[in-house]
Amino acid sequence: MQFSPTNGDFTFVSSTEAEELSGTISSPDIKLNIASESGKDPYATTFLRQRGYGWLLEVEEDDSEESKPLLEELDIDLKDIYYKIRCVLMPMPSLGYNRQVVRDNPDFWGPLAVVLLFSMISIYGQFRVVSWIITIWIFGSLTIFLLARVLGGEVSFGQVLGVIGYSLLPLIVIAPLLLVIGGFEVVSTLIKLFGVFWAAYSAASLLVGDEFKTKKPLLIYPIFLLYIYFLSLYTGV
């Protein structure tokens, strides 16, 4: 004896016409694979994952970024600064240095270090000179920048600031000599003039390009006066 199924899921047969009772249950919406994951996850976790809600249980692992070195964080390139220092101290083109990198690739920390070093050797017990030298560096560079722009030069304030700051290195070099031969006025004066010309030439050769043509003295002269003023802050004359 056989009964017609009512929902399409069950088939009933009479026990007298079949040796065993068989049937199937289909559940397309819920499929649990308890045997494979019961040993790993709880039932609720398995249920959510099988239903497509496993993302609720995911824990995002924060990928800890490797800590960068302090110099890299501050954007300080010591090799670049050292190369620029050599370009300023040895401004002769015959030495083969690419001196334009001082102007074309300006930085802040190198010139600031040079200006602070010049301030330190100029203190003589008067700490206010440090802030005064930094002020002259910033506003003196601003004056040179404005004058260069008026004369038609294509330079930025950052470039002028970097060149003027790095070019204080010759004055730092002659500072120990002035301490040694300070009693000899003639020799001391010659060394001071040499240091000022050295610094002014180093800065002017980088800032005063071919675009100025016949107007070069109009920019070289204030640069020369600026370094005379820097030297006066050191020597007190």
Side-chain angles (χ1 to χ4, degrees):
M1 180 177 180
Q2 183 174 351
F3 299 94
S4 299
T6 58
N7 56 1
D9 294 333
F10 298 94
T11 302
F12 298 96
V13 295
S14 174
S15 60
T16 57
E17 297 179 359
E19 297 180 356
E20 60 181 9
L21 181 63
S22 63
T24 59
I25 301 176
S26 61
S27 178
D29 295 332
I30 302 176
K31 295 181 180 179
L32 300 179
N33 191 4
I34 300 176
S36 61
E37 299 190 11
S38 59
K40 299 180 180 179
D41 299 323
Y43 176 81
T45 302
T46 306
F47 176 78
L48 289 174
R49 288 182 176 178
Q50 294 293 342
R51 295 285 293 180
Y53 296 101
W55 57 270
L56 293 173
L57 305 174
E58 294 179 357
V59 178
E60 184 178 355
E61 298 180 357
D62 295 333
D63 296 332
S64 58
E65 298 181 356
E66 297 181 359
S67 58
K68 296 181 180 179
L70 179 60
L71 295 181
E72 186 176 348
E73 289 286 348
L74 297 177
D75 195 20
I76 300 176
D77 190 345
L78 295 180
K79 292 183 179 179
D80 181 63
I81 293 175
Y82 176 63
Y83 184 81
K84 291 178 180 178
I85 289 175
R86 289 187 293 171
C87 290
V88 171
L89 292 178
M90 294 174 281
M92 289 72 70
S94 59
L95 296 177
Y97 289 106
N98 182 20
R99 301 186 66 248
Q100 291 300 319
V101 72
V102 182
R103 169 179 170 173
D104 298 337
N105 187 24
D107 66 289
F108 176 74
W109 297 108
L112 178 62
V114 174
V115 173
L116 289 178
L117 180 59
F118 181 74
S119 303
M120 291 297 107
I121 65 175
S122 304
I123 285 179
Y124 289 129
Q126 300 178 5
F127 288 96
R128 63 178 179 272
V129 75
V130 177
S131 60
W132 184 241
I133 290 176
I134 294 177
T135 302
I136 295 302
W137 169 48
I138 295 176
F139 286 96
S141 299
L142 179 61
T143 302
I144 300 299
F145 163 70
L146 294 176
L147 183 58
R149 298 294 290 185
V150 169
L151 295 176
E154 296 295 332
V155 293
S156 65
F157 177 64
Q159 291 175 331
V160 177
L161 197 68
V163 171
I164 296 298
Y166 273 117
S167 297
L168 276 173
L169 285 168
L171 300 184
I172 296 176
V173 172
I174 68 170
L177 297 177
L178 295 177
L179 293 176
V180 175
I181 59 175
F184 303 93
E185 294 184 2
V186 176
V187 180
S188 177
T189 302
L190 292 177
I191 292 179
K192 291 176 183 178
L193 290 176
F194 173 72
V196 171
F197 275 108
W198 185 4
Y201 173 77
S202 181
S205 60
L206 290 169
L207 294 177
V208 183
D210 295 334
E211 66 268 22
F212 292 100
K213 297 181 180 179
T214 59
K215 302 176 182 178
K216 290 183 179 181
L218 297 177
L219 190 60
I220 295 176
Y221 181 67
I223 292 176
F224 180 75
L225 292 180
L226 179 62
Y227 285 106
I228 289 179
Y229 189 73
F230 273 122
L231 183 64
S232 69
L233 293 175
Y234 169 71
T235 58
V237 296

